[in-house]
Amino acid sequence: MFALIDCNNFYVSCERVFNPALNGKPVVVLSNNDGCFISRSEEAKALGLPMGGPAFKYRDLLRKHRVTVFSANFPLYGDMSSRVMTTLGALAPEIEVYSIDEAFLDMGGFRRLGTAEHAAHICRTVQRHTGIPVSIGIGPTKTLAKAASRLAKKNPRHRGVCMLSKPDEIQEALASLCIGDIWGIGKQWSKTLQSLNIHTALDLSRAPAQMVRQHLNTPGIRMQEELKGHSCLPLELVRPPKQSICTSRSFGRTVSAYEELQQAVATFAGTCAMKLRREGSLALTVTVFIHTSHFDGAARQCRGSGTAALNQPSQDSISIARAAERALASIWQPGYGYKKAGVAVSGFSPAMAGVTELSLFRNDRAEQEKRRQKLMQTMDAVNLRYGSGTLRLAAENTETWKPRQKQRSARCTTVWEEIVTVRV
C-alpha cells in the first residue's frame, strides 16, 4: 500500500502557522511580482478566485471580501516543507519526496496495526509538529493513492484520510474521477481520450490495451495498469541526478541598462553554481536567455539566448558567472526594455572529492582549483548559517531589478532579523 501525503493549500497554511488569526478567513498567495494566485484558502476558493487568476482583475472582489493577500515567501515555504518531510520520514520506513508539498510513503508494513489508523496518526502528528494540515490518500498503487488523496481533500466525510483497498471502493472512486484529473494526464492526452469517448478514470481502466498503447504509448499502458491496481511505479528513494539546472526571474520593473541586466545574470549564475555544488555535479555549458514582456503589445519585442562553454567542467561561481557574462554579451541588443532573464547550466558530470582535471597549458591549475573549492565551501557555509546572499560575488546585485514583493510576510525561520519575537 502506498500513501500520498498532500499539504492542504500549502503556501496559505505556512502563512497561517505564524498568524493564526487568519484561520477561517479568505487568504491568497501571489506569484513573483505579485502577479497571479498560486495558493488559495478554502474560503478564497468559495469566493470564486481561480488558481492562476491575475490579481489585478479581482481587486474589487479582494477588497469587498477583505481577502488577505501575501506575496510569495519561498524561503519560508521551503523551510516549512523540509520540516514536514522530516516529520514524515520518522513515521514511515520509506519516503519519496515528490514535490514541495507532496510525498509518497510505503504503508505496506502497517496492515497489522491498521493502515487507516496510522494515516490518521500521521495527520495529527504533522499538524502538531509543524502546524500544517495534510490530506492522505492510500491505495495499492501510486496512481490510486493520488486519486484517493484528491477524494480525501474534496470530501469532508473522509476527515482527511481516504483509503482505496476494496475493488468496489476503487471502482466507485474511478467513476467519479474525470479523465483530466488523473495523475499524469495532461491537456493534450485529455483531449485525445475524450475524443475516444473515454471521460473518466474508470473508462480508461476498462479501455482496450491496444488502443491505449496506440494513443498514449508505454506510459499510458503503465497508467492503465496502475488504475487496475497493478503497481508499476515503485518509490524513488534516491532522486535521479539532474541533467540541467535553471534559475530565472521576472523583473519588478523594465530593465534597459546593460549593467543592470549583467547584475541580474550574475546573480542567477551564482545561484546555479550553488545548486550545482549541492547536487554534487560539474557543468560544462552555460546558457543565458533574456526577453521583453509579451504582455506589453505597444513595446518592441525581443527574445534571445546564447551559450558559452567552460574550459573544463566546473561548479565554481566565478567561472560560471564569467561564462554567463560572455553569453549575455553575445545576445544583448540595446534599446529594449527587458522583463525577464535566466541562466541554465548543463553538460553535467559528477564531482569527485580530491579529483581535479589538469590542464596542458596551466601548471598551476590544480592549486588554483583547490583554492577556488575552499572559497566556495566557505561561502556556502557562511550563507547556510547567516542567510542566503550574506557572501556573494561583487557582480551580483538584486536591488535594482528584484521582483515586487510588497506584501511578503517575515521569513521567520530563515532570517535572524525577521525571527518571531514574543513579548511577555
Side-chain angles (χ1 to χ4, degrees):
M1 299 293 285
F2 297 91
L4 176 67
I5 317 299
D6 189 357
C7 299
N8 299 338
N9 311 318
F10 181 57
Y11 296 164
V12 167
S13 295
C14 290
E15 300 290 352
R16 284 174 165 174
V17 169
F18 298 96
N19 190 353
L22 297 175
N23 291 329
K25 296 180 180 179
V27 182
V28 296
V29 175
L30 303 180
S31 61
N32 285 329
N33 289 312
D34 296 342
C36 305
F37 305 128
I38 57 174
S39 183
R40 305 156 296 152
S41 66
E42 295 301 323
E43 296 80 8
K45 295 176 184 178
L47 296 176
L49 299 174
M51 188 66 168
F56 74 92
K57 288 187 177 181
Y58 297 90
R59 287 173 184 166
D60 294 338
L61 188 62
L62 294 172
R63 190 180 302 110
K64 177 182 178 181
H65 294 280
R66 298 181 179 180
V67 178
T68 303
V69 180
F70 287 101
S71 302
N73 189 348
F74 292 119
L76 174 66
Y77 307 152
D79 184 71
M80 293 301 294
S81 172
S82 177
R83 296 174 185 225
V84 170
M85 300 308 166
T86 299
T87 302
L88 293 175
L91 297 170
E94 295 180 340
I95 177 174
E96 174 192 337
V97 178
Y98 181 65
S99 68
I100 191 171
D101 63 343
E102 292 179 299
F104 285 101
L105 302 182
D106 175 14
M107 300 289 282
F110 295 98
R111 294 187 179 183
R112 183 174 60 85
L113 301 176
T115 305
E117 289 77 7
H118 184 65
H121 171 68
I122 291 176
C123 284
R124 294 191 298 268
T125 303
V126 173
Q127 175 90 47
R128 184 170 64 251
H129 287 189
T130 68
I132 303 296
V134 299
S135 298
I136 301 181
I138 307 170
T141 70
K142 292 172 74 174
T143 303
L144 288 176
K146 186 77 172 180
S149 174
R150 183 179 179 84
L151 293 175
K153 184 176 292 188
K154 298 293 183 182
N155 196 330
R157 72 180 179 87
H158 292 296
R159 298 182 180 180
V161 177
C162 176
M163 184 167 71
L164 301 178
S165 57
K166 301 177 181 178
D168 56 335
E169 295 174 340
I170 295 176
Q171 298 294 310
E172 181 182 354
L174 295 183
S176 66
L177 188 64
C178 296
I179 194 68
D181 294 330
I182 300 176
W183 182 40
I185 294 289
K187 289 184 178 180
Q188 192 58 45
W189 276 6
S190 179
K191 292 179 181 179
T192 300
L193 291 172
Q194 289 180 20
S195 68
L196 298 172
N197 203 31
I198 297 176
H199 301 285
T200 67
L202 184 61
D203 294 337
L204 179 58
S205 69
R206 294 175 173 176
Q210 184 176 0
M211 182 182 69
V212 174
R213 183 183 297 276
Q214 178 183 352
H215 293 280
L216 305 185
N217 303 318
T218 302
I221 290 292
R222 188 182 301 121
M223 189 181 306
Q224 185 183 48
E225 290 299 309
E226 287 261 325
L227 291 174
K228 291 179 179 180
H230 306 145
S231 180
C232 302
L233 302 171
L235 288 182
E236 292 186 2
L237 304 181
V238 179
R239 179 178 59 79
K242 294 182 179 180
Q243 301 302 311
S244 65
I245 291 174
C246 179
T247 301
S248 64
R249 294 289 185 276
S250 296
F251 303 147
R253 63 172 179 81
T254 300
V255 173
S256 301
Y258 179 76
E259 292 74 16
E260 293 181 351
L261 198 60
Q262 190 178 31
Q263 291 170 354
V265 167
T267 304
F268 302 154
T271 302
C272 285
M274 179 269 294
K275 293 179 179 179
L276 271 172
R277 294 191 291 272
R278 289 183 178 177
E279 191 75 9
S281 298
L282 306 173
L284 187 58
T285 58
V286 179
T287 300
V288 174
F289 61 88
I290 54 176
H291 61 75
T292 56
S293 173
H294 60 273
F295 293 108
D296 190 354
R300 293 195 303 160
Q301 302 296 310
C302 178
R303 288 176 173 267
S305 65
T307 299
L310 299 169
N311 292 329
Q312 63 184 46
S314 176
Q315 56 180 202
D316 172 38
S317 296
I318 298 174
S319 299
I320 293 174
R322 286 174 176 171
E325 184 178 352
R326 295 198 305 270
L328 175 64
S330 69
I331 60 175
W332 159 256
Q333 295 188 43
Y336 290 93
Y338 295 95
K339 285 290 289 183
K340 188 173 184 178
V343 174
V345 291
S346 57
F348 286 5
S349 60
M352 294 177 285
V355 177
T356 303
E357 185 175 328
L358 300 179
S359 171
L360 293 174
F361 308 102
R362 291 283 302 275
N363 295 329
D364 63 338
R365 188 72 183 180
E367 188 62 30
Q368 183 182 4
E369 285 297 319
K370 288 181 180 179
R371 290 198 300 269
R372 285 281 184 86
Q373 288 177 6
K374 290 182 179 179
L375 176 61
M376 294 299 109
Q377 290 171 2
T378 302
M379 186 166 68
D380 291 342
V382 171
N383 288 336
L384 179 63
R385 181 168 184 175
Y386 296 104
S388 177
T390 303
L391 279 183
R392 56 182 174 81
L393 301 181
E396 298 181 33
N397 186 0
T398 63
E399 294 305 316
T400 57
W401 54 266
K402 65 181 179 181
R404 291 193 302 269
Q405 291 184 311
K406 295 182 179 180
Q407 300 165 97
R408 178 182 59 78
S409 58
R411 294 164 291 183
C412 304
T413 63
T414 57
V415 178
W416 283 108
E417 291 78 10
E418 299 178 22
I419 195 171
V420 174
T421 58
V422 180
R423 297 180 179 178
V424 180

